[in-house]
Structure formats: C-alpha cells, structure tokens
C-alpha cells in the first residue's frame, strides 16, 4: 500500500469532505445534538475547540462521520481529550485521522501487510458511562459492512441520543 502525498490526500486542511460533525450534549439527564462546523471533518483542532467552546454543564461528545470512510469520537475530559478512531489505517489518507493518531502518540506499523486490515485506535471505553462498553464499541467499529453513519446511529441508539442525532443529520 503506497502512502499518498499530502497534496493528493482527501481531507487536507482548507478542503471540505462529505460527512457530518455533530456534538451530542447531555444535560440534566437529556440528550440534544447540534451540528459542528464542516471544518471539523478535516481539522481535529477545530473540532476540539468547538466542543470545548460549547460550555455545557454535562457531557459533550463529538461525532465525526468522515467521507463515509471512518468515524471519530471526540470527548473533552478534565485535563484533556479522549479520542477514538474507528480505522487507524485512515491516517494514511486523511489529516483528521492522522491528527488523532498524533494526539494518541500512535504510529502506524511500517509493514504494508499490517495495514491491510483496519483497526480501531484510542479510548474504546470513551462511551462506557453512557452504556456502550469498550468491547461493544470495538466490535461495532469492526463491522466493515456498515457505513460510518450507520455505526454512529447504532452508537446513538446504545447511548440514548439516536433521535437527537438523526434530527440533526437529517436536517442537513
């Protein structure tokens, strides 16, 4: 598998990509969702900044469906950020995925054969407190016959924000 040059990669900063970026917000026991800027699909810093600026009393979870290829979950936590990337191999082709691996301090293996099968990377227990255990999130990320929007819809169902997510995604 050849690494594409930065100029040829989709999702280079300054470009836009298909998909969606949504913040799921839980306050007073209720979920609501709001759209994040499209820039969040190509620039992880933009997503993190926008999530932190929401200034809510409860939990905030960013959900990025990038180019129908992979998803990213971003969750501000005290003292930092928790991240989960559904397909680490996407870092070869997408800046936002490469940014996730950089923040996680994870390097892709140099062996091209190891890059044949995608694998999730990051905090798989990122949504455990909302009813989605790490092993289920890992299994869901490995469901290669599902598109990322379908995977995120399933995550929404398991965590309780599926209707709010669908309302925002369907409104685009």
């Amino acid at each position: 598998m050849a690494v594409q040059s930065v100029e040829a990669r989709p999702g280079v900063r300054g470009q836009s990509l298909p998909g969606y970026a949504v913040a799921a917000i839980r306050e007073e026991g209720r979920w609501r969702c709001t759209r994040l800027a499209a820039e969040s699909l190509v620039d992880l810093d933009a997503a993190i900044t926008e999530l932190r600026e929401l200034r809510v009393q409860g939990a905030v979870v960013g959900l990025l469906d990038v180019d129908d290829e992979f998803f990213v979950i971003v969750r501000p936590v005290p003292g930092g950020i928790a991240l989960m990337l559904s397909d680490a191999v996407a870092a070869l082709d997408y800046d936002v995925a490469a940014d996730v691996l950089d923040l996680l301090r994870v390097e892709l293996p140099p062996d091209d054969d190891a890059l044949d099968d995608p694998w999730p990377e990051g905090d798989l227990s990122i949504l455990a407190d909302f009813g989605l255990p790490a092993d289920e999130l890992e299994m869901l990320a490995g469901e290669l016959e599902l598109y990322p929007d379908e995977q995120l819809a399933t995550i929404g169902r398991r965590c309780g924000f599926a209707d709010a997510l669908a309302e925002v995604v369907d409104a685009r």
Side-chain angles (χ1 to χ4, degrees):
M1 175 180 271
V3 177
Q4 294 178 332
S5 71
V6 171
E7 294 81 25
R9 289 189 339 190
V12 174
R13 284 167 193 79
Q15 296 179 353
S16 62
L17 286 175
Y20 63 82
V22 171
I25 302 160
R26 184 167 175 87
E27 290 184 296
E28 299 177 10
R30 299 179 58 102
W31 286 101
R32 66 181 171 91
C33 289
T34 186
R35 182 165 303 282
L36 298 174
E39 184 181 0
S40 297
L41 297 176
V42 295
D43 185 355
L44 184 62
D45 288 336
I48 291 169
T49 299
E50 193 169 356
L51 289 168
R52 286 185 172 149
E53 288 176 350
L54 289 173
R55 305 273 188 238
V56 298
Q57 294 296 317
V60 176
V61 178
L63 307 165
L64 312 178
D65 167 8
V66 183
D67 201 17
D68 287 329
E69 293 293 328
F70 63 96
F71 68 86
V72 179
I73 301 174
V74 183
R75 186 171 178 187
V77 295
I81 196 84
L83 298 164
M84 187 270 175
L85 172 63
S86 67
D87 176 6
V89 178
L92 292 172
D93 298 320
Y94 294 87
D95 283 351
V96 71
D99 291 346
V100 170
L101 293 187
D102 285 347
L103 281 178
L104 294 172
R105 294 187 173 106
V106 171
E107 292 186 27
L108 291 173
D111 179 13
D112 284 348
D113 292 337
L115 301 175
D116 289 341
D117 296 316
W119 72 90
E121 194 63 68
D123 183 358
L124 294 172
S125 64
I126 193 168
L127 299 172
D129 56 333
F130 299 122
L132 185 60
D135 58 339
E136 287 184 37
L137 182 55
E138 182 176 18
M139 186 173 67
L140 183 59
E143 292 288 336
L144 301 179
E145 62 277 353
L146 295 178
Y147 285 103
D149 64 327
E150 296 168 317
Q151 293 167 313
L152 290 172
T154 301
I155 289 168
R157 279 192 298 280
R158 289 288 286 124
C159 295
F161 56 82
D163 291 340
L165 177 62
E167 187 176 305
V168 170
V169 171
D170 293 343
R172 44 179 185 145

